[in-house]
Amino acid sequence: AYENLGDLYHLYIRDYPKAEKFYRVALRRDDTYPELYRKLHELYVLSWIEKQHLADDILIEGLEKVPGHIGLLFTLAAYYAEQGETVKAQEYYGEVRIRAAQAGDTKTVERVDEAVAALGF
């Protein structure tokens, strides 16, 4: 329910402090749910520009609670790539690639290879 309230305030009412509040309440109830970290990341990157500096912090926080989560790692790598932080992007893409290869996820390996190639490596 709290995640849904966060979505409502973020995407429809556009009250970003309330959206953040409800996403945080949802995280207090289950801090191992990766989607909430991604939603907070999107709130900071796409909507609440004043808090854009927290965009990578929230993903790192999520990785502390859900270590090695491929989706969070990929989102963090892509964020760093968009910000022009190619060394950090390459580091996180590398970790995603290793984990995806170990899991037999060839589609993600291909996506990582394409993303790294776009960085010029």
Side-chain angles (χ1 to χ4, degrees), residues 6-12 14 16 19 23 39 42-43 47:
D7 291 345
L8 175 70
Y9 281 105
H10 177 203
L11 302 170
Y12 300 100
R14 301 197 192 295
Y16 305 135
Y23 287 142
K39 287 183 177 193
E42 288 181 354
L43 172 68
S47 303

Side-chain angles (χ1 to χ4, degrees), residues 9-103:
Y9 281 105
H10 177 203
L11 302 170
Y12 300 100
I13 298 174
R14 301 197 192 295
D15 184 333
Y16 305 135
K18 282 189 180 176
E20 180 184 48
K21 172 188 166 187
F22 285 113
Y23 287 142
R24 287 288 183 181
V25 169
L27 278 174
R28 282 195 296 275
R29 298 178 72 73
D30 181 5
D31 65 357
T32 62
Y33 182 46
E35 185 66 13
L36 290 169
Y37 297 101
R38 190 193 57 76
K39 287 183 177 193
L40 275 164
H41 170 77
E42 288 181 354
L43 172 68
Y44 299 143
V45 169
L46 302 175
S47 303
W48 200 359
I49 303 306
E50 296 82 8
K51 287 210 171 183
Q52 191 171 35
H53 64 281
L54 299 175
D56 59 341
D57 294 340
I58 193 63
L59 295 173
I60 292 168
E61 181 182 327
L63 287 166
E64 290 170 358
K65 299 296 182 176
V66 190
H69 187 274
I70 290 177
L72 292 176
L73 288 166
F74 196 96
T75 302
L76 186 57
Y79 173 75
Y80 283 138
E82 290 169 8
Q83 298 301 307
E85 296 187 46
T86 56
V87 173
K88 286 183 180 180
Q90 185 180 19
E91 173 188 339
Y92 284 101
Y93 278 135
E95 191 169 342
V96 172
R97 191 180 196 294
I98 290 167
R99 291 180 180 280
Q102 289 172 342

Side-chain angles (χ1 to χ4, degrees), residues 102-114:
Q102 289 172 342
D105 184 351
T106 56
K107 286 186 180 187
T108 299
V109 170
E110 289 173 11
R111 287 180 57 208
V112 168
D113 290 345
E114 290 170 5

